[in-house]
Each structure stands twice: as structure tokens, then as C-alpha cells.
Amino acid sequence: MKRNRELNKREIEAFQKNEITEYHIYRNLATRVHGVKNRRVLAQIADDEMRHYNIWKTHTRRDVAPSRFRIWFYSLVSMLFGFTFGIRLMEKGEKGALDAYGALPPSLHEVNGILRDEEEHEEALLKLLDEERLQYTGSIVLGLNDALVELMGVLAGLTLALQDTALVALTASITGFAAALSMAASEYLSTKSEPNGNNPFRAAIYTGIAYLMTVVVLVAPYMFVPDLYVSLGLSFFGAVCIIGFFNYYISVARDVPFRTRFLEMVGLSFSVAALSFLAGYAIRYAFGIDV
């Protein structure tokens, strides 16, 4: 969009449609979230979106219907993955709209200034949101990271040492379940001894569930695929998917870089797996085991 031309009516209506759509999304979330503070913040942002809508309406002189699909989609994402993630994902997808605001023609400079002020206001409000699951990100990271590093190493070593998918699945499942309980107990004691305000029991639950979910994903291929090395490859692929999804979630919800954290976790997990694979081969050769 260039500054040397006027916006046409369709382009202004697109801005107007975006604002009314986000108004309905924020209003929906405001009625569903827990906590008076969160409800007030979301309701205030919804009011800002309606104000944006009315600003554009003074130029189009007509009402515009919201996008029902976007309302449904972001409301669903927010219910599944948390309202902070849903809102941040939506705002991330609106970067193009902000760039378009910055390229408004001279005749709309006054509107541009108003909208810029409102966007800064909304960003400040978003930082006030408080969601429980983000308070326990450290516990989830602990469970995921420990399960990925430990269990990938165990699977790699067992694959070479035992040479049987059923035995590998059984051994890894028992190891993973015991380790999940151990990690949950350790997180409980660790959180209880730290004055960070988090509930030790909830921290333990988040850690244990994250660990167990990772165990299920990594062990599942050995239960359904007869080939050992195909199963190991699928487990590694599952690990990369878990790392990718979790780091993307954190990068969006907390507005932090994705690439560095993702590569660090992948590198660490696969390094441990490679060393364990070699250790399994060495142990099998040293003891003359042939299962």
C-alpha cells in the first residue's frame, strides 16, 4: 500500500471487519476466563476494538459483519491451549494490519495516530493478563525436557541392546512411568522450598503429566510398528514434533524467540540419544548379549 493514493472503500471495510471480529473474540473470552482481573482486561480490549470499528465506520458510513470463522477458530484455540496463547496468536497474525495502518495516506493521518495509540494501549493491557498454566511453564519444561532427554536415550540404548520391539516398549514404559512419578515428587519438594508463590501440588501435576504424555508419544511406535529402527525413527520424529509444538507455544504465549530454544532442545535430546545408542551397542558387545 502506497502513501500517494487514497484507500478505497473495500480496504477500509476490511479494517472495519477486522476490528469488529476481534471485538467479538475478546468479548467471548471475557465471559469465559477465570479471574476478575482477566475479565476486566479482556473487556477493556474489546471496548477498544469497538472504538476502532466506529472510527472506520465514520468513513464507510455502514456496518460490516464480523468473520464468523475467525471468531470460532480463535475462541476454540483459546479454550484448548489457553486464552493467552489464543490472543497472542491472533495478534501475531495481525502484523500485516499494523503495517497497513502505518502506510495510511495523508488524508487518514489523524486516524492512524488514534489507532497507533490504541494498539499501544492494548499491548500494555495484554501484559496484565495472568494465566495459571503460564505460571507453571518451568514445571512443564522440566517434565518435557527430562522425558525427552532421558527416554530418547533409554529407547536408543534399549533398541540396540534388546533387539525386540515388545521388550523395548515394556521396559521403556516401566522406566518412563517410574521416572514421571520421581520427577513429580522432586518438583513438589523443589517448589515447596522456593518462595515463588506457585502451588507445589499443581507444579508436580504439571511436571508429571508433561512427562507421561511424552512417554506415551515416544513409546507408541514400538507398540504398533514391528521394525525396531523404524520405531526408533518415529520416536525421534515424535520428539521433534513435541519440541517444536511446545517451543512454538511458548514463543507465542510469552512473545520470545522460537528458533534458539527449539534448536537447543533438539540438539541436547539427540546428543544424549546418540551417546546412549553407542552405549547400548558397547554393552551388548561387551556382555555378548544376543536377544
Side-chain angles (χ1 to χ4, degrees):
M1 189 181 301
K2 298 180 180 179
R3 288 185 178 273
N4 60 3
R5 71 172 178 85
E6 296 295 316
L7 289 177
N8 61 45
K9 187 175 181 180
R10 183 171 296 180
E11 289 172 320
I12 296 178
E13 287 179 355
F15 290 148
Q16 191 178 352
K17 186 182 186 72
N18 180 66
E19 302 297 350
I20 194 63
T21 298
E22 292 193 358
Y23 163 78
H24 284 288
I25 293 171
Y26 282 116
R27 291 299 299 181
N28 284 348
L29 294 179
T31 62
R32 296 177 180 177
V33 299
H34 297 290
V36 175
K37 175 185 174 183
N38 289 328
R39 286 196 292 271
R40 286 177 177 172
V41 169
L42 292 173
Q44 189 169 352
I45 296 176
D47 291 340
D48 288 342
E49 298 296 349
M50 178 56 74
R51 192 176 301 113
H52 296 174
Y53 172 82
N54 288 324
I55 290 172
W56 291 120
K57 186 178 176 180
T58 61
H59 292 271
T60 62
R61 300 185 183 281
R62 64 183 293 267
D63 287 312
V64 175
S67 169
R68 296 298 176 186
F69 173 77
R70 288 188 63 216
I71 295 173
W72 170 82
F73 176 77
Y74 286 111
S75 297
L76 178 63
V77 168
S78 298
M79 285 190 293
L80 293 176
F81 302 110
F83 63 86
T84 304
F85 176 80
I87 291 170
R88 288 290 184 182
L89 184 65
M90 179 177 67
E91 295 295 332
K92 198 179 183 70
E94 293 303 320
K95 295 298 183 184
L98 293 179
D99 293 338
Y101 288 166
L104 289 172
S107 63
L108 292 175
H109 275 176
E110 183 178 357
V111 173
N112 185 28
I114 295 172
L115 293 174
R116 286 288 181 183
D117 290 343
E118 293 294 354
E119 292 296 341
E120 292 175 2
H121 180 218
E122 286 177 15
E123 181 60 29
L125 287 173
L126 286 174
K127 292 178 181 178
L128 296 177
L129 291 173
D130 183 24
E131 188 169 16
E132 179 186 287
R133 71 184 70 188
L134 291 181
Q135 296 175 10
Y136 294 92
T137 299
S139 299
I140 297 173
V141 169
L142 179 65
L144 282 176
N145 190 61
D146 196 75
L148 287 167
V149 172
E150 183 175 321
L151 204 63
M152 283 180 67
V154 168
L155 286 172
L158 292 177
T159 296
L160 216 2
L162 299 182
Q163 294 290 296
D164 183 275
T165 54
L167 284 176
V168 172
L170 177 63
T171 306
S173 297
I174 295 172
T175 302
F177 183 75
L181 295 179
S182 175
M183 284 301 302
S186 297
E187 180 65 1
Y188 175 85
L189 295 174
S190 175
T191 304
K192 191 174 182 178
S193 64
E194 296 176 0
N196 58 7
N198 285 350
N199 185 299
F201 181 74
R202 290 182 180 176
I205 292 297
Y206 277 110
T207 298
I209 289 177
Y211 201 112
L212 286 175
M213 289 177 65
T214 306
V215 170
V216 170
V217 172
L218 297 185
V219 174
Y222 288 88
M223 301 175 67
F224 301 104
V225 180
D227 188 281
L228 269 170
Y229 298 105
V230 172
S231 297
L232 182 61
L234 290 174
S235 292
F236 282 9
F237 176 73
V240 172
C241 290
I242 292 172
I243 294 171
F245 173 78
F246 178 73
N247 280 282
Y248 179 72
Y249 177 88
I250 294 299
S251 71
V252 172
R254 288 197 176 277
D255 197 23
V256 296
F258 167 80
R259 182 183 176 86
T260 303
R261 293 169 60 92
F262 173 75
L263 293 177
E264 183 180 38
M265 285 188 71
V266 169
L268 181 62
S269 299
F270 277 76
S271 296
V272 170
L275 291 173
S276 299
F277 192 83
L278 294 176
Y281 181 82
I283 292 171
R284 183 180 173 212
Y285 178 79
F287 287 92
I289 298 174
D290 188 14
V291 180

